Amino acid sequence: VLPPDSGRRRWLQALCAQVLERAGFSYVETPVFESAELFARGVGASTDIVRKEMFTFSDKAGRSLTLRPENTAGICRAYIEHGMHKWPQPVRLWYWGPFFRHEAPQAGRYRQFTQVGAETLGSDDPAIDAEAILLLAEILERAGVERLRLRIASLGSPETRQAYAEELRSYLRGREAELAPEVRERLDVNPLRAFDSDHAGTRAVMAAAPRLLDRLAADDVEHFRAVLGLLDAAGLEYEVDTTLVRGLDYYTRTVFEFESAALGAQRGVGGGGRYDRLVAELGGPDTPACGWAAGVERILLAGAKGPAMAGPDVVVATATGARDAVARALRLARELRAAGLAAELAEPGRALRRQLRRADRVGARAVAIVGDDLQLKMLDSGAQTPVAGPAEVVRALASGGEGADPGVTA
Ligand code: AMP
């Protein structure tokens, strides 16, 4: 991640921090690797992530460790390990960091990528689901992601899902010959994943398959209706998609995914859902929870603009390479920064002409030239005047424009 792209990324991070922290989410960092066992139990042994995509290795003590492919399992582990169920509930946490999946790299799909995510633990209220979705929608919209589409569904409880999986499995067995080989292979493990297939024959079979949404228990239906009602009230558009299956096993009830048609094949920008049993499954107290993760690289690819990288307010140049002038230039730069300006030191040993050219190229507004006296040259007008000291430089520059604020505060 190099400049100038790194500037847009930092701007996006500041935007995420602002949106989430205003909503009461606290920032967390969990380890980049965890025990392999955590992901096998947390993400689910039948998922592509666990079966094919994890970078797993043994450490010197022979423990099996995995570079984290996602963060919900790690957050639940931290919640349990640090007794967060004793904190005021719900606990709201957000994160930003690197994740690792061994997938075939292509545009928008990397083996190391960055996710921003938010998790709310300790409440089963439908308002938590709705708020999570609205916060992600706000981030994506303010980040400038274009042609967004939100799909949402409910997966109900694990029991409903299991009964439904049986029903679906026997339906698929009846039409096995029409299915893709890899779907046939996984019929026993996870027939729901057949909805993800791109294979034409499989898609035709799936179009007539029984739907989980029609099999949900009454309380799950009620929860789902409440979430949709809250999204309606907030004016957020969505599509109920009965075929939505997320690639992680831990979800219960609400699942959702944002896509951008501005992206190519890898169009998912972010998604999530409820995982009411995960904390208990990992050995903690019963803790309903809901959250999402979004791909930072994909948000940036899908059109997040961010401000253009601002040049420094002032470049401090030296008219001679004399020690005394260099020391004064360094002091002036520090004084200007202390006064709130972005002040960059030009390379003092170079000819003044080259220092000025550099100031131009980095987009500085002015150059302070330290020689026998101090001169300020404005780069837009070319006007050059003697100034008494840093205070006068600050005054001259205060009259035009702002500094390099990321613009997120608006
Ligand atoms: P998931 O944890 O699979 O639900 O992924 C959440 C989001 O992370 C996706 O919508 C993508 O934006 C992003 N993502 C997942 N895998 C990758 C990858 N290999 N490369 C880049 N972004 C990814």
Side-chain angles (χ1 to χ4, degrees), residues 151-201:
R151 295 184 299 144
I152 184 167
S154 176
L155 298 182
S157 67
E159 292 74 30
T160 313
R161 206 147 32 138
Q162 205 178 347
Y164 168 74
E166 284 305 328
E167 183 186 352
L168 183 63
R169 198 176 282 127
S170 46
Y171 166 79
L172 293 176
R173 285 249 161 72
R175 299 183 62 174
E176 205 164 335
E178 299 162 65
L179 300 174
E182 71 272 13
V183 172
R184 241 179 287 149
E185 233 167 70
R186 303 247 302 271
L187 263 188
D188 284 324
V189 192
N190 190 352
L192 268 79
R193 297 302 306 279
F195 283 111
D196 284 347
S197 174
D198 292 330
H199 176 259

Side-chain angles (χ1 to χ4, degrees), residues 101 103 108-110 113 115 246 248 268-271 293-295 298:
R101 293 184 195 173
E103 300 185 89
R109 192 158 84 186
Y110 314 104
F113 56 101
Q115 280 187 343
R246 308 243 327 128
L248 306 114
V269 269
R298 295 213 193 145

Side-chain angles (χ1 to χ4, degrees), residues 107-314:
R109 192 158 84 186
Y110 314 104
R111 288 182 171 170
Q112 175 173 342
F113 56 101
T114 313
Q115 280 187 343
V116 55
E119 312 284 356
T120 304
L121 299 104
S123 169
D124 64 0
D125 198 291
I128 299 295
D129 311 38
E131 184 173 59
I133 295 170
L134 289 165
L135 287 167
L136 179 52
E138 180 181 346
I139 287 172
L140 296 176
E141 275 160 28
R142 283 181 59 186
V145 177
E146 281 164 4
R147 297 157 69 197
L148 269 178
R149 169 177 175 227
L150 166 61
R151 295 184 299 144
I152 184 167
S154 176
L155 298 182
S157 67
E159 292 74 30
T160 313
R161 206 147 32 138
Q162 205 178 347
Y164 168 74
E166 284 305 328
E167 183 186 352
L168 183 63
R169 198 176 282 127
S170 46
Y171 166 79
L172 293 176
R173 285 249 161 72
R175 299 183 62 174
E176 205 164 335
E178 299 162 65
L179 300 174
E182 71 272 13
V183 172
R184 241 179 287 149
E185 233 167 70
R186 303 247 302 271
L187 263 188
D188 284 324
V189 192
N190 190 352
L192 268 79
R193 297 302 306 279
F195 283 111
D196 284 347
S197 174
D198 292 330
H199 176 259
T202 306
R203 293 188 75 91
V205 172
M206 298 325 286
R211 304 287 177 178
L212 176 55
L213 267 183
D214 302 325
R215 301 289 184 273
L216 296 185
D219 56 338
D220 292 336
V221 172
E222 194 185 318
H223 182 95
F224 189 46
R225 290 225 177 97
V227 174
L228 297 184
L230 289 167
L231 296 181
D232 289 334
L236 186 70
E237 280 180 32
Y238 57 82
E239 292 162 42
V240 173
D241 184 344
T242 54
T243 70
L244 183 61
V245 187
R246 308 243 327 128
L248 306 114
D249 273 356
Y250 48 62
Y251 289 113
T252 50
R253 295 190 161 175
T254 315
V255 287
F256 60 92
E257 202 155 81
F258 283 89
E259 288 180 355
S260 167
L263 292 171
Q266 302 300 319
R267 52 185 46 210
V269 269
R274 223 170 226 294
Y275 48 96
D276 289 344
R277 314 261 181 123
L278 184 56
V279 174
E281 254 157 49
L282 294 174
D286 262 334
T287 309
C290 183
W292 51 258
V296 166
E297 289 80 11
R298 295 213 193 145
I299 294 176
L300 294 170
L301 275 173
K305 290 169 200 81
M309 279 254 271
D313 297 304
V314 54

